[in-house]
Amino acid sequence: MSITYTDVVVEAARYTVSVRNLCEFAAKAGDLDLRFTPAPTAQQGREGHTLVAQRRGPDHEAEVSLSGTYQGLQVRGRADGYNASRNELEEVKTFRGALEAVGWNHRELHWAQLKVYGWLMCESRSLDNINLTLVYFDVTDQTEHPFSEACTAAELRTFFEAMCEPFLGWAQQEQAHRTARDVALAAMEFPQKPFRAGQRELAAGVYRACIQSYPLLAQAPTGIGKTIGTIYPALRAMPVRTIDKLFFLTAKTPGRQVALDALGKIRNNSSSSHGFPLRVVELMAKDKACEHKDKACHGDSCPLARGFYDRLPAARRDAAATGWLDQRSLRQVALDHQICPYYLGHEMVRWSDVVVGDYNYYFDRSAMLYALTVDASWRISVLVDEAHNLYSRACSMYSAELTHTQALAVRLHVPPSVRFRVDELLNQWQLMLDAAARQSPDTTWALLEEVPESLRRTLQKLNSTISEHLNDHPTDAHGALLPFYFGTLGFTALAEEFGDHSLCEFDRAQTALPLPEAGLEEEPQFPIDGMAADASSLSAGRLTLRNIVPGHFLAARMQAADSVVMFSATLNPADYYINLLGLPETTRSMDIPCPFRPEQLSVRIKRISTRRDDRAGSLAALVNAMVTQFRANPGNYLAFFSSFDYMEMAQQALQQRFADIPVWVQERQMLEADRQTFLKQFDLAGHGIGFAVLGGVFGEGVDLPGKRLIGAFVATLGLPQFDAVNQAICERMEARFGRGHDYTYVFPGIQKVVQAAGRVIRSETDTGSVLLLDERYGERRYRSLLPNWWNIEMA
């Protein structure tokens, strides 16, 4: 039996680590430096290594497997090449731009890897000495820049042992922690007895999914304790499945805190005098973790980046000993050692048992947790909180857009060596605008079958030119060029993977485009056939790659996990989520019966029309229905509407006729403090109606127990707008899944309705009412999707 953790594999009494990870642990030094420096892509790196190997003679051995031991530590890896006739061992590193830009600390790390390989080769081939050559290969001009050093086996052995010694002590500590952790998890008791109704069934289902390694969709009602009911069984399964790490992923910040509270209860439930041996780290957004928002992330600017890797070993040791690394604790450890809290958190992911963070850390295009999982071959379990949110979040992660105005704006700030490529892009924009105007003069929006090939080629050339320019002029990375470059890179990457999982939309509209700024040395030139000299008279274009089936991108992330459990109060129907999120056919689903009694919640349907064309005519009846309920049972209510315009129209109508009823209204742009002020209106002793938008910040994740909220009005079916975009989505969903209308309109709409209504009953002692203000709720196709414990009546 083997136990895998982080980058170390423990087999009996032997530890195994790769040469690269050993050297990164023991030899990394200097500053944290996140200044943009163009680097070879992974494909360019592979091609560069292959080309160097092909240039060598017949005596060259490529990809030489090597391994060696030091006091039970096994170190292994593959050296890039060895020539026996010259007794020369090579390590190849690819780069772009100026070789002088490769920092001294990176060079030291490269030499450390080569010297470790050198000792392993001497030991393997019984060599007394060896010639080591570090080859830097420029992927742009395909030139080699070798640096050589002759070393004796004795020198290399001493260096090897110096690398192994600190890692060996750390690995022994990690093995002891892992053993203690697994023993504690196996004996752990549920910390919140007695189980709430439905909670034991949920925990049992999650435990089976984790130990049998299959994905699970768990629909469970609000109020039964889903968070601790999923974390506890996932932890109990970790020693059974030899799981390295548990990722608890949330859509919103409050979800992180609920998870941390549950983990805190589990840790505090331990009877051990040494505390529960479970390391937990909370990942935060960079802007919230940053201590010096006015400084750049490199040692020349930020004091917490200066000498980061020199102080990291001591900080890592103290952080591991602390064990509980929520935002406050992690910050304290980092500042004690004067290093960046955000990147200390990233380092501690490697050495923690549970990671709590946002969806994007695992599911995004550049997801850190997913990359580490693949690189280190971790065995992980993933819990996805409020999983009904993952679809919309994932669609955003794998969507991108380009605009005409972006190119015009950046043109004013780029050097001539790049400007001609921007002009080529502007030519492409004008060609697309002209073609769209000819083909559809009366409409501004169009669906394209594919990303225009000429645009893709233009973007590729533009990206290459900007990359070469930034190689030669790294200081230009601080201006407007870099964000524009990142945008075109992201768009191009998604364009390369374009398929029926996404839509390509082109939109043109008359708008004011950017004009030259006062004081610029040069007026903008538009060497584009047919383009007006006055930029403000132009049409602006927008090209959007809108992902609508993120499963194409998420599938690999689902497969990388040993188990994935997605849980929410609204995961109905299961096949909707399975199909859209890339879950495999082995996915199972469970629906936990609601513990609430039908008499706790009065649900009534008022037959009025809230369709756009009928709203003015039905407004009086809608207000009357709300006021009748409020007068019959005064207290705090939430009223949900499909849009801000409709909400404001209803709120004004109610206040004009019933000025004595207190109201408070969701604003279009609300800061966190404003949201808290809105929620504070729901006082235990108060009464009134809070007006909000369905699917907005108050439609879910709001906990107003008891008399703080006694009812909800839902004046909409929640269906998305019937516009050209949604119609295109509907047609694509119909082609792929055969249920286009349901996937585009019905399921997303009813999900928001159920979430909003779920704000009313939060415990087995709450009572309240929900008034559904739309005649369509009487139709079977909609009512069948509402919770089966609701006893629905006609008002």
Side-chain angles (χ1 to χ4, degrees):
M1 172 180 173
S2 68
I3 302 174
T4 306
Y5 58 91
T6 66
D7 302 320
V8 186
V9 181
V10 182
E11 298 177 356
R14 171 166 290 183
Y15 314 93
T16 301
V17 63
S18 69
V19 170
R20 181 171 65 86
N21 288 324
L22 171 68
C23 293
E24 286 192 351
F25 183 93
K28 212 165 187 179
D31 296 346
L32 177 70
D33 192 341
L34 297 179
R35 282 174 287 196
F36 175 77
T37 53
T41 65
Q43 180 64 27
Q44 289 173 327
R46 289 190 292 269
E47 291 173 353
H49 278 75
T50 300
L51 182 57
V52 170
Q54 290 173 346
R55 290 175 174 176
R56 302 300 183 255
D59 295 334
H60 181 78
E61 300 177 48
E63 296 290 318
V64 183
S65 294
L66 296 169
S67 67
T69 60
Y70 174 73
Q71 295 186 13
L73 177 68
Q74 183 179 45
V75 181
R76 63 189 180 193
R78 290 188 178 185
D80 288 328
Y82 178 66
N83 186 304
S85 62
R86 296 201 303 268
N87 190 25
E88 181 182 42
L89 185 69
E90 286 186 332
E91 176 71 7
V92 179
K93 300 295 181 183
T94 57
F95 76 101
R96 296 186 64 175
L99 182 59
E100 295 76 19
V102 179
W104 68 267
N105 51 344
H106 292 283
R107 293 177 183 242
E108 290 293 320
L109 182 61
H110 299 159
W111 272 111
Q113 294 175 14
L114 180 53
K115 288 181 178 181
V116 170
Y117 281 128
W119 162 247
L120 297 179
M121 178 62 76
C122 287
E123 185 181 42
S124 172
R125 306 286 174 100
S126 300
L127 303 175
D128 294 329
N129 53 69
I130 193 169
N131 298 312
L132 303 180
T133 299
L134 181 59
V135 179
Y136 287 101
F137 179 79
D138 189 332
V139 298
T140 302
D141 60 17
Q142 298 188 341
T143 57
E144 297 180 29
H145 304 266
F147 298 86
S148 298
E149 181 178 340
C151 298
T152 67
E155 292 170 340
L156 294 175
R157 178 175 182 172
T158 299
F159 182 87
F160 172 75
E161 293 177 351
M163 291 290 101
C164 291
E165 189 62 36
F167 189 85
L168 180 62
W170 182 265
Q172 290 170 337
Q173 169 188 296
E174 289 303 289
Q175 184 193 35
H177 167 76
R178 178 63 175 261
T179 301
R181 185 205 78 175
D182 286 350
V183 169
L185 291 179
M188 177 178 60
E189 295 187 0
F190 192 70
Q192 232 179 29
K193 289 183 178 179
F195 283 95
R196 298 179 186 177
Q199 197 175 42
R200 182 188 290 273
E201 183 179 351
L202 172 65
V206 172
Y207 183 74
R208 285 192 297 270
C210 290
I211 63 172
Q212 296 177 25
S213 185
Y214 59 78
L216 175 68
L217 288 175
Q219 179 169 274
T222 297
I224 71 166
K226 293 191 292 292
T227 302
I228 200 166
T230 53
I231 289 178
Y232 170 77
L235 290 173
R236 282 294 302 267
M238 289 180 76
V240 179
R241 287 290 301 175
T242 63
I243 297 296
D244 301 311
K245 300 185 186 300
L246 172 65
F247 296 159
F248 188 98
L249 307 175
T250 70
K252 300 175 182 178
T253 301
R256 293 208 312 266
Q257 189 56 53
V258 173
L260 291 169
D261 290 344
L263 288 161
K265 290 176 181 177
I266 290 171
R267 282 171 54 95
N268 295 335
N269 195 49
S270 170
S271 59
S272 171
S273 59
H274 301 291
F276 199 93
L278 186 73
R279 292 185 192 151
V280 177
V281 63
E282 177 189 10
L283 296 179
M284 299 163 290
K286 186 176 181 181
D287 61 338
K288 293 183 179 180
C290 182
E291 293 290 324
H292 298 287
K293 294 180 174 59
D294 61 329
K295 295 178 172 59
C297 294
H298 57 80
D300 294 336
S301 176
C302 179
L304 300 184
R306 190 176 306 124
F308 176 90
Y309 291 107
D310 300 327
R311 296 190 291 274
L312 178 60
R316 179 170 53 208
R317 181 191 63 239
D318 288 354
T322 300
W324 183 260
L325 298 172
D326 62 358
Q327 179 176 354
R328 183 188 62 82
S329 299
L330 185 67
R331 177 177 183 268
Q332 187 60 56
V333 173
L335 296 185
D336 286 346
H337 293 272
Q338 283 298 290
I339 67 172
C340 174
Y342 180 72
Y343 287 102
L344 176 60
H346 284 207
E347 170 66 19
M348 293 314 298
V349 165
R350 299 175 179 270
W351 315 106
S352 295
D353 306 303
V354 181
V355 181
V356 179
D358 188 88
Y359 289 167
N360 67 283
Y361 282 106
Y362 188 75
F363 292 114
D364 195 44
R365 279 184 281 176
S366 55
M368 180 259 292
L369 292 180
Y370 174 67
L372 287 175
T373 296
V374 173
D375 181 64
S377 299
W378 288 336
R379 178 174 285 184
I380 63 166
S381 290
V382 177
L383 298 179
V384 183
D385 180 36
E386 299 294 351
H388 63 276
N389 287 306
L390 181 57
Y391 171 68
S392 59
R393 284 286 304 277
C395 286
S396 298
M397 294 173 190
Y398 294 96
S399 298
E401 71 174 25
L402 289 180
T403 68
H404 190 194
T405 54
Q406 290 170 344
L408 281 166
V410 80
R411 186 187 186 279
L412 305 175
H413 304 283
V414 298
S417 61
V418 174
R419 187 175 300 138
F420 80 100
R421 291 297 189 196
V422 177
D423 288 340
E424 290 176 352
L425 178 60
L426 288 170
N427 268 314
Q428 288 298 316
W429 274 118
Q430 194 60 39
L431 290 171
M432 289 189 293
L433 288 165
D434 291 344
R438 288 194 303 270
Q439 295 170 7
S440 305
D442 299 326
T443 60
T444 61
W445 184 89
L447 187 68
L448 307 183
E449 293 184 0
E450 60 183 6
V451 182
E453 180 62 29
S454 59
L455 176 67
R456 287 174 53 186
R457 290 197 301 269
T458 299
L459 286 171
Q460 289 168 352
K461 293 177 183 177
L462 172 65
N463 290 336
S464 178
T465 298
I466 295 176
S467 178
E468 291 172 5
H469 173 78
L470 292 176
N471 274 332
D472 299 332
H473 305 87
T475 57
D476 285 1
H478 300 296
L481 182 58
L482 190 60
F484 174 76
Y485 176 48
F486 286 160
T488 57
L489 279 177
F491 187 94
T492 304
L494 288 177
E496 295 296 328
E497 291 194 64
F498 182 74
D500 66 353
H501 49 74
S502 300
L503 303 178
C504 182
E505 307 166 22
F506 183 72
D507 194 8
R508 61 184 177 88
Q510 291 290 336
T511 187
L513 300 182
L515 291 172
E517 297 178 3
L520 288 179
E521 295 180 359
E522 174 188 23
E523 291 293 315
Q525 302 297 313
F526 298 107
I528 302 169
D529 295 339
M531 179 176 281
D534 180 6
S536 63
S537 67
L538 298 173
S539 293
R542 181 183 305 273
L543 194 64
T544 302
L545 296 180
R546 185 189 304 273
N547 179 246
I548 60 173
V549 185
H552 170 82
F553 300 99
L554 300 184
R557 286 153 172 75
M558 302 297 183
Q559 294 169 4
D562 191 68
S563 61
V564 177
V565 175
M566 299 190 172
F567 60 98
S568 169
T570 49
L571 289 177
N572 181 39
D575 61 350
Y576 171 76
Y577 295 95
I578 292 172
N579 290 336
L580 294 181
L581 296 178
L583 291 162
E585 295 180 355
T586 55
T587 302
R588 303 182 192 180
S589 62
M590 64 183 303
D591 189 354
I592 303 299
C594 183
F596 307 141
R597 305 179 309 279
E599 56 267 27
Q600 286 182 254
L601 184 67
S602 169
V603 184
R604 294 178 298 137
I605 299 172
K606 178 67 175 177
R607 289 188 179 277
I608 63 174
S609 175
T610 63
R611 294 178 175 89
R612 182 183 299 274
D613 294 340
D614 300 333
R615 289 173 184 172
S618 64
L619 190 59
L622 182 146
V623 169
N624 287 339
M626 293 172 61
V627 172
T628 299
Q629 172 62 35
F630 182 84
R631 299 286 196 213
N633 189 15
N636 293 321
Y637 290 79
L638 263 171
F640 294 99
F641 297 84
S642 57
S643 68
F644 279 99
D645 289 341
Y646 192 19
M647 177 194 72
E648 291 165 356
M649 183 168 64
Q651 171 251 325
Q652 292 167 8
L654 186 145
Q655 283 195 293
Q656 287 172 1
R657 294 174 54 196
F658 305 98
D660 62 306
I661 298 179
V663 301
W664 47 98
V665 184
Q666 177 182 349
E667 298 175 3
R668 294 176 186 263
Q669 299 291 336
M670 295 187 79
L671 300 175
E672 182 61 32
D674 298 326
R675 296 179 188 178
Q676 293 304 316
T677 299
F678 181 92
L679 294 174
K680 286 179 182 178
Q681 300 290 329
F682 295 89
D683 185 79
L684 285 171
H687 67 282
I689 303 174
F691 283 73
V693 173
L694 189 72
V697 293
F698 302 114
E700 61 176 273
V702 172
D703 195 15
L704 299 169
K707 295 301 181 181
R708 292 190 65 192
L709 182 69
I710 66 167
F713 306 110
V714 184
T716 173
L717 199 61
L719 305 186
Q721 292 184 9
F722 288 86
D723 57 18
V725 173
N726 282 325
Q727 186 55 36
I729 295 174
C730 182
E731 293 173 1
R732 186 65 56 85
M733 294 294 190
E734 182 68 28
R736 288 198 57 156
F737 307 115
R739 301 183 69 180
H741 183 78
D742 287 343
Y743 272 45
T744 307
Y745 299 105
V746 177
F747 297 156
I750 296 298
Q751 175 201 97
K752 290 183 287 187
V753 170
V754 175
Q755 281 289 330
R759 302 311 95 205
V760 179
I761 303 297
R762 309 297 293 175
S763 73
E764 295 181 26
T765 60
D766 285 350
T767 59
S769 64
V770 172
L771 186 57
L772 302 173
L773 296 161
D774 194 296
E775 60 191 8
R776 289 170 290 181
Y777 284 111
E779 298 179 25
R780 177 180 175 81
R781 59 173 173 165
Y782 299 121
R783 287 185 63 167
S784 64
L785 295 172
L786 299 176
N788 55 22
W789 70 276
W790 286 6
N791 185 13
I792 303 175
E793 299 177 347
M794 303 305 296

